[in-house]
Amino acid sequence: MPDPRIDVVVLTMNDRPSEEAAAQETLLAQAGVDVRVCVVGNGCEPQIVPPGALTVSLSKNLGIPGGRNAGAGALGREPDPAEWLFFLDNDASFPRTDVLARLIAEAQKRPRAAYVQPRLTGPDDVTTPRRWVPRLRASRPERPGTITTMTEGVVLVRREAFDAVGGWPAEFFLYHEGLQLAWQCWSAGWNGWYAAGIRMHHPLTSPARHALFHRLAARNRIWVAYRNLPAALIPLYLTAWTTITLTRAVRSGGVSETLRGIREGWTSRHRQDRHPMSWHTVWRLTRVGRPPII
């Protein structure tokens, strides 16, 4: 039986040459899979490209979801696109040579899983910040199970589901695009799986290091709610989220930018493409422990 084929998208701005070279080295070492790679230069010409890989050079920075869509689109236009897509941060790495093969095996056992998420750890293979655990009860990152969101930078996605829901939300530019994609997959009848026994490595960086973090995270959270939730749940979800977010911002900084993002998200919400999930989907999310009000 031939090895399963997988298309891998790597997004770059040529800003992490050593990390990117290491990431690609571990990618090319993956065994038991037939890998095709597309390196997308987000506003640049990619400088580190594996032999035989496709390249896409975007004339400007489209943001992370827009850049990933460009890579997935380029691979999809190739003859016989793979059934599986893998999105790889250019500073993430595979600690073993069987990671992709094991992720596909997990997905094949779960035909309704639109995406399969490995456990993301620091380079020590142990430390998993709470924000990298794609479910509630994040204190036990080693526990696998059904999930309703994802960690976007290292995730396996079924091409059929990705294309059916329109891919990543390019308008978001950065932050919460994984929640949007996951909720759209759930609305379409799919689900997600956290394969906690399969690890990926990533530097232990904070998203707050980006100047746009507080504003875009706040704006996009409102967009996600308005795009996806039934009208009755939007005020419940946003009240809970705003309380938590502003409390954190008061403690650690970013209040003014968070308020700016809330204002921007609220005033622009009607320009979003609204496709509210059914109450049946709300029940499905609630049943697996993540009701869409928190």
Side-chain angles (χ1 to χ4, degrees), residues 3-288:
D3 291 336
R5 296 177 52 249
I6 183 168
D7 288 340
V8 179
V9 177
V10 182
L11 193 62
T12 186
M13 295 179 68
N14 296 327
D15 55 346
R16 301 171 179 142
S18 59
E19 293 92 337
E20 189 165 346
Q24 292 189 15
E25 181 180 357
T26 62
L27 170 60
L28 297 179
Q30 291 299 293
V33 287
D34 180 6
V35 176
R36 179 169 52 185
V37 181
C38 180
V39 182
V40 180
N42 218 351
C44 64
E45 180 78 28
Q47 298 300 307
I48 302 173
V49 179
L54 300 176
T55 60
V56 174
S57 300
L58 301 174
S59 60
K60 64 178 182 178
N61 182 356
L62 298 183
I64 288 178
R68 287 177 178 149
N69 282 342
L75 289 163
R77 290 188 292 272
E78 289 292 297
D80 192 22
E83 180 181 357
W84 311 101
L85 284 163
F86 190 82
F87 296 94
L88 178 66
D89 271 359
N90 68 343
D91 55 351
S93 61
F94 299 86
R96 294 172 38 153
T97 60
D98 61 352
V99 170
L100 289 179
R102 293 170 66 201
L103 286 172
I104 291 175
E106 289 284 332
Q108 288 172 332
K109 290 188 292 186
R110 298 170 176 83
R112 297 311 300 168
Y115 55 97
V116 176
Q117 175 75 62
R119 176 181 172 184
L120 191 59
T121 78
D124 62 2
D125 201 47
V126 175
T127 305
T128 300
R130 295 180 67 87
R131 68 181 181 278
W132 286 351
V133 183
R135 54 167 170 73
L136 297 178
R137 295 183 291 279
S139 61
R140 292 188 58 196
E142 75 284 356
R143 183 169 61 84
T146 302
I147 52 173
T148 64
T149 184
M150 66 175 71
T151 304
E152 303 94 338
V154 288
V155 64
L156 177 77
V157 184
R158 201 178 296 265
R159 163 74 78 169
E160 177 187 356
F162 183 82
D163 289 345
V165 302
W168 301 101
E171 302 91 334
F172 283 36
F173 194 84
L174 183 63
Y175 305 120
H176 301 318
E177 65 269 19
L179 179 57
Q180 169 66 24
L181 180 60
W183 275 2
Q184 285 292 288
C185 288
W186 276 81
S187 289
W190 303 87
N191 57 39
W193 182 255
Y194 178 46
I198 305 173
R199 287 176 169 81
M200 288 285 296
H201 291 174
H202 193 284
L204 293 167
T205 54
S206 167
R209 71 189 186 280
H210 297 297
L212 297 174
F213 168 71
H214 294 287
R215 179 174 68 86
L216 294 190
R219 182 197 70 181
N220 292 352
R221 182 71 74 166
I222 292 173
W223 284 1
V224 167
Y226 189 78
R227 283 176 170 223
N228 294 282
L229 294 182
L233 294 186
I234 293 174
L236 297 175
Y237 180 87
L238 291 181
T239 297
W241 168 80
T242 301
T243 301
I244 294 169
T245 300
L246 287 177
T247 300
R248 290 173 176 168
V250 167
R251 290 198 201 114
S252 58
V255 173
S256 62
E257 284 299 296
T258 296
L259 290 172
R260 181 183 171 196
I262 290 172
R263 182 170 59 252
E264 183 179 337
W266 188 252
T267 57
S268 62
R269 69 191 187 283
H270 291 298
R271 296 199 294 270
Q272 299 305 301
D273 190 13
R274 180 162 162 74
H275 294 284
M277 64 181 66
S278 68
W279 286 103
H280 176 67
T281 299
V282 172
W283 166 242
R284 291 175 61 224
L285 294 170
T286 302
R287 190 174 58 185
V288 298

